[in-house]
Amino acid sequence: MKITDKIVEKHGLKQEEYRSIIKLLKREPNFLELGIFSAMWNEHCSYKSSRIHLKKLPTKGKQVIQGPGENAGVIDIGDDDAIVFKIESHNHPSYIEPYQGAATGVGGILRDVFTMGARPIALLNSIHFGAPEHPKTKSLLNGVVSGIGGYGNCIGIPTVAGETKFNETYNENILVNAMAVGHVKKDKIFYSKAKGLNKSVVYVGSKTGRDGIHGASMASAEFDENSEEKKPTVQVGDPFTEKLLMEACLELMKDNSIISIQDMGAAGLTSSSVEMASKGSLGIELELDKVPCREENMTPYEMMLSESQERMLIILEDGKEKEAKKIFDKWDLDFVIIGKTTNTNNLTLKFNNKIEGEIPIESLASKAPIYDRKWNKKNPPIHKIDIKDLKKIKIEDALIKILSSPNHSNKNWVTSQYDQMVMCDTVQKSGSDAAIIRIHNKDKAIAVSVDSSANYCKSYPLTGGKQIVCENWRNLISVGAKPLAITNCLNFGNPENQEIMGEFAECLEGVKEACNFLNYPVVSGNVSFYNGTNKKNIYPTPVIGGVGLIKKLSKPLSHNFKQVNSTIILVGKTFGHIEQSCYLKENYSITEGMPPEINLLNEKNNGENLLELINKNLVLSAHDISNGGLITALSEMTLASDFGALIYKPKKLTNLFKYFFGEDQARYIIEIQTQKLPIVEKILKESNIYYENIGLTQENYFEIEGELKISTKDLFKINNQWYSNY
């Protein structure tokens, strides 16, 4: 087949990239080779627009065993235990085919974790939809939630935490980010680096079909009015087969048979073989007529680019093939030796004893394009909002508007579709600041949370990037966990747009600054560009997934009030930052202004000292303050419990709306036994932490002196009405 400009364009390659391919090969590629370059050089696989920025992130720490560059990150949690975790996007597939797109997103991230030798113990997600009134939102929401629940429930991994958000910026491009967490012994971690010559390259799992061909390329381009035509590029998942594959792989990992192992994810057999060979500075020869296929007359091109799910590529030690095959036969899975490692440093593809393609590995990996794209620095917004100029409303009415809004309403309708307790190690499930999962048969646990804040990042990306790291850090602190490391999923628009690239660069700079200061390294992640339709890009939406350690799990700390007549303490200073607040958005449809300032010194000091109070058993409940401000956080503590609160009027900040709805950072609410107040105050004062005694817990009512009084029953009704009516 003659390679024309149109064929090159259809493969998502630019003409200058095609010329680079010719130069690297010293000849024109054939159609199969072009497809392979297309798969490996697309944005989704090569990170060609993001690599120079990603290198700036802190990725090392004394707790880090494996940082970015493997299937998932790995951290040390002591006692020879390690945690493996990663978050990835499946945005485009989920918009085109919501159920299968979301389901295969879950399946893919699970494979990244158990490929490393870890048994998955938890799933999380961050899902973003368009305006609720948009004609597509309801069906997309139903499909995605069903897909996440369907896959996770069937495979038997609890979905323990996440977030569901709505904003018109996602009307034509939803976000579906899936995170998986696994547990492994430190001496049983497996990697993807190929080693040794003439070692068996083994295909295991499901058969290869025509689903998902060009899936990675589809994820590396904007949508347009013809996006529905891309449905064939969406993979089809089978959680029951994935369960079998997981158990078979984990069983094989008990001995020393495996040299390297790689999930067949984006770009399928192409990416898995190239990545293994590249890391090991080896070549790989594949006999494609041996690839198990579920459809007739599949071509080498289709085999190499298929993204059929539930498949792995394994390189085995000599003489281990027979015993390994027995394991996969037992689990009723394909096990076929389809190739070998070589010293050629080439990807050699044979079909019916004929070489159909031969490409230097380095041309697909290390010599893939890297772009230092131009970007524009964003100036801080100068618009200042004078709250006195706004139409006067009651505090009660403003709070009701927030608690009954789509983004703050009770989301039990979503979370009830996820099995959160399977495996029996979920100590605290979704609804609190972070979920808590016990390390099986041990008295220690991990805490996990995912967070995003697109409006802050859109307003001023540098501050937004810092804020979302800090919020995630606070969520782990609030349940008594020491934050250890993060994974990130960076969802942005078209990187060829200088403004969008500027949002990416500055968000990442903010993430870097916060992670460095908090000693909170990035160990894995994913970049998702080209999120947009017809040149309309989404808001910058970096999602942070954090993992923390609870060394001694005596009693999990949650955000629900525990008893009557406890003292309620506000930790951290309130300045009344109202711009970019939920209060302005929900009550006045105002979205202008700067996000709140991030003081990293206060974040660290307040968080570390709160953790000390928690470890000394001085805190009954805790909750970080973020979107919606102090009053929303207090309402959430009431809604999660059988008790209300009596909150005093502030003595220093005169504007009540700024005080109660301002979104100043580095703040927490803690509930303590009143008799322990002197001890708590002493520790806070010695640590130079600003705090206020703001009220007491009480029965039946949520109340602010002289301003509002709502029964806890009515508050519950207000918070539950949106989802029940949608």
Side-chain angles (χ1 to χ4, degrees), residues 74-86:
V74 189
I75 57 173
D76 189 344
I77 61 167
D79 308 314
D80 293 322
D81 293 312
I83 295 296
V84 178
F85 64 105
K86 188 181 182 183

Side-chain angles (χ1 to χ4, degrees), residues 28-232:
E28 288 198 12
N30 61 34
F31 189 65
L32 169 61
E33 293 168 333
L34 181 71
I36 288 169
F37 272 102
S38 166
M40 294 304 299
W41 280 23
N42 65 57
E43 194 71 60
H44 190 79
C45 292
S46 74
Y47 292 77
K48 57 189 176 187
S49 299
S50 59
R51 264 192 280 177
I52 62 167
H53 297 280
L54 294 172
K55 287 178 180 179
K56 301 173 185 177
L57 293 173
T59 59
K60 298 184 184 312
K62 63 179 182 180
Q63 73 275 26
V64 177
I65 296 173
Q66 175 65 52
E70 266 293 341
N71 288 291
V74 189
I75 57 173
D76 189 344
I77 61 167
D79 308 314
D80 293 322
D81 293 312
I83 295 296
V84 178
F85 64 105
K86 188 181 182 183
I87 189 170
E88 277 198 341
S89 63
H90 229 224
N91 303 335
H92 284 41
S94 299
Y95 182 76
I96 296 170
E97 187 63 59
Y99 185 95
Q100 288 295 349
T104 52
V106 173
I109 199 64
L110 283 171
R111 290 195 299 279
D112 282 340
V113 166
F114 71 75
T115 300
M116 301 288 294
R119 179 169 291 279
I121 58 175
L123 287 162
L124 302 86
N125 57 74
S126 175
I127 51 180
H128 297 245
F129 300 93
E133 61 273 14
H134 190 274
K136 288 187 178 181
T137 296
K138 186 178 284 189
S139 63
L140 289 168
L141 174 65
N142 285 330
V144 166
V145 171
S146 297
I148 291 171
Y151 206 100
N153 296 351
C154 289
I155 199 171
I157 311 295
T159 302
V160 298
E163 56 178 9
T164 303
K165 294 186 175 183
F166 300 88
N167 190 301
E168 64 182 11
T169 189
Y170 310 110
N171 279 350
E172 305 296 335
N173 196 122
I174 64 172
L175 302 183
V176 176
N177 293 181
M179 176 176 168
V181 183
H183 170 244
V184 67
K185 289 295 183 181
K186 285 165 59 178
D187 63 347
K188 284 294 183 181
I189 300 168
F190 288 82
Y191 299 95
S192 58
K193 180 180 178 180
K195 296 177 184 177
L197 297 178
N198 294 312
K199 304 295 183 183
S200 295
V201 177
V202 185
Y203 174 118
V204 301
S206 287
K207 288 179 168 55
T208 296
R210 290 188 170 96
D211 55 315
I213 294 172
H214 286 302
S217 298
M218 179 266 293
S220 304
E222 289 183 325
F223 282 147
D224 55 29
E225 62 276 359
N226 300 314
S227 60
E228 290 293 315
E229 297 174 3
K230 297 178 180 179
K231 279 190 177 184

Side-chain angles (χ1 to χ4, degrees), residues 3 11 13 17-18 20-41 267 269-271 273-278 281-286 288 300-301 304-305 340 342-350 354-369:
I3 306 298
H11 280 76
L13 293 165
E17 291 175 336
Y18 183 65
S20 296
I21 292 169
I22 294 173
K23 189 175 179 180
L24 287 165
L25 291 178
K26 299 178 182 176
R27 58 177 173 82
E28 288 198 12
N30 61 34
F31 189 65
L32 169 61
E33 293 168 333
L34 181 71
I36 288 169
F37 272 102
S38 166
M40 294 304 299
W41 280 23
L269 187 54
T270 289
S271 63
S273 56
V274 169
E275 287 171 16
M276 294 170 91
S278 173
S281 299
L282 293 170
I284 279 187
E285 181 180 293
L286 300 178
L288 297 180
Y301 182 96
M304 290 302 295
L305 297 185
K340 63 182 180 181
T342 70
N343 63 358
T344 64
N345 295 110
N346 290 338
L347 175 66
T348 304
L349 304 173
K350 291 184 175 180
K354 180 185 174 184
I355 294 178
E356 296 287 343
E358 188 150 28
I359 307 172
I361 292 288
E362 64 177 5
S363 69
L364 297 169
S366 61
K367 290 189 177 180

Side-chain angles (χ1 to χ4, degrees), residues 475-489:
N475 280 332
L476 299 181
I477 293 283
S478 297
V479 300
K482 181 183 179 182
L484 294 181
I486 69 168
T487 181
N488 57 36
C489 195

Side-chain angles (χ1 to χ4, degrees), residues 542-561:
V543 175
I544 302 295
V547 176
L549 177 64
I550 302 173
K551 285 186 178 180
K552 188 125 180 113
L553 188 63
S554 52
K555 188 166 81 174
L557 189 67
S558 59
H559 73 300
N560 55 299
F561 290 132

